[in-house]
Amino acid sequence: MLKQRELHETAELYELLRHPSVFPYVRQKATSAEEYLFMTKQLIEEEQIGQTISRTIVDEWGAPIGTISIFDIQDGAGFLGTWIGKPFQGVGYNQKAKLAFLNELFFDYDFHTVFLRVREENGRSQAAALKLPYVIDAELTNPLLFEEINQGATKFRLFKIPKDLFYLTTANTQEEAEEQAM
């Protein structure tokens, strides 16, 4: 489902990224495959020095279908960025990728909070975020951060995933799955 980012997959990912329903919402707005290769190389270097963590989302056959990353890492928190190519949207990859990545962040890297900054006009991503039982609206709980991310012309909704809520929700779901398997 997730793997380390690799430069050889950038051409395939770029083709998915440039689709009109995906491109407006990605953080790395490359205008060519070469530019996306350069941006990915920078991202890999940033991960080596602890500024970001990024993974490639792959399908059942190991083909790259999108990316999931955490940016602006500071004091055990950061901003989640995810995109999935149009042909793979709406079939469950987003939730599975988030679950795997959040497990890695919270339990391998000891994050305590993951924020989601979603453009107001991106109803699809807002709906996807709100489907997750461990996501809460952070506009009232983190008003200074909400104000900071909305200083520019583009307006955002702010959500957060606290480690304790993620753990309680996913541990309960895992326990129910194990009981049903018996």
Side-chain angles (χ1 to χ4, degrees):
M1 169 97 298
L2 299 180
K3 64 184 226 38
Q4 294 286 333
R5 298 292 301 271
E6 296 179 38
L7 295 177
H8 70 83
E9 66 201 13
T10 57
E12 248 180 299
L13 285 169
Y14 175 72
E15 288 305 313
L16 294 169
L17 168 100
R18 57 188 282 232
H19 190 278
S21 69
V22 176
F23 189 78
Y25 305 110
V26 299
R27 183 173 178 142
Q28 294 183 304
K29 295 194 183 312
T31 56
S32 69
E34 293 77 21
E35 184 180 13
Y36 191 64
L37 173 69
F38 178 75
M39 289 176 164
T40 302
K41 187 174 192 283
Q42 283 184 316
L43 198 65
I44 291 169
E45 290 169 1
E46 287 173 8
E47 182 163 353
Q48 292 171 346
I49 58 174
Q51 292 179 338
T52 192
I53 300 169
S54 186
R55 302 288 177 262
T56 300
I57 303 168
V58 296
D59 66 9
E60 295 83 0
W61 301 277
I65 63 168
T67 69
I68 187 165
S69 305
I70 189 141
F71 300 98
D72 307 322
I73 296 173
Q74 189 174 13
D75 301 321
F79 283 89
L80 187 68
T82 307
W83 68 266
I84 293 177
K86 178 71 174 156
F88 306 97
Q89 293 176 3
V91 291
Y93 289 112
N94 189 20
Q95 283 191 347
K96 289 176 186 173
K98 278 187 174 66
L99 184 63
F101 194 60
L102 291 167
N103 267 304
E104 183 178 350
L105 294 176
F106 289 136
F107 303 112
D108 295 346
Y109 289 95
D110 205 27
F111 276 71
H112 58 79
T113 307
V114 172
F115 290 100
L116 291 87
R117 180 179 74 172
V118 181
R119 292 173 191 253
E120 278 187 352
E121 72 270 11
N122 191 347
R124 187 176 181 88
S125 288
Q126 287 181 45
L130 292 170
K131 275 187 196 176
L132 301 171
Y134 42 80
V135 171
I136 58 176
D137 190 320
E139 293 172 11
L140 297 176
T141 60
N142 298 79
L144 296 177
L145 183 58
F146 178 65
E147 191 177 301
E148 182 183 324
I149 66 169
N150 281 296
Q151 289 180 357
T154 304
K155 298 303 174 199
F156 297 94
R157 297 280 319 274
L158 181 64
F159 303 97
K160 74 177 177 181
I161 303 167
K163 180 180 183 174
D164 56 352
L165 180 59
F166 177 79
Y167 176 73
L168 289 171
T169 305
T170 57
N172 187 36
T173 304
Q174 179 67 27
E175 189 175 296
E176 288 173 6
E178 288 172 2
E179 285 177 14
Q180 288 178 358
M182 291 181 166

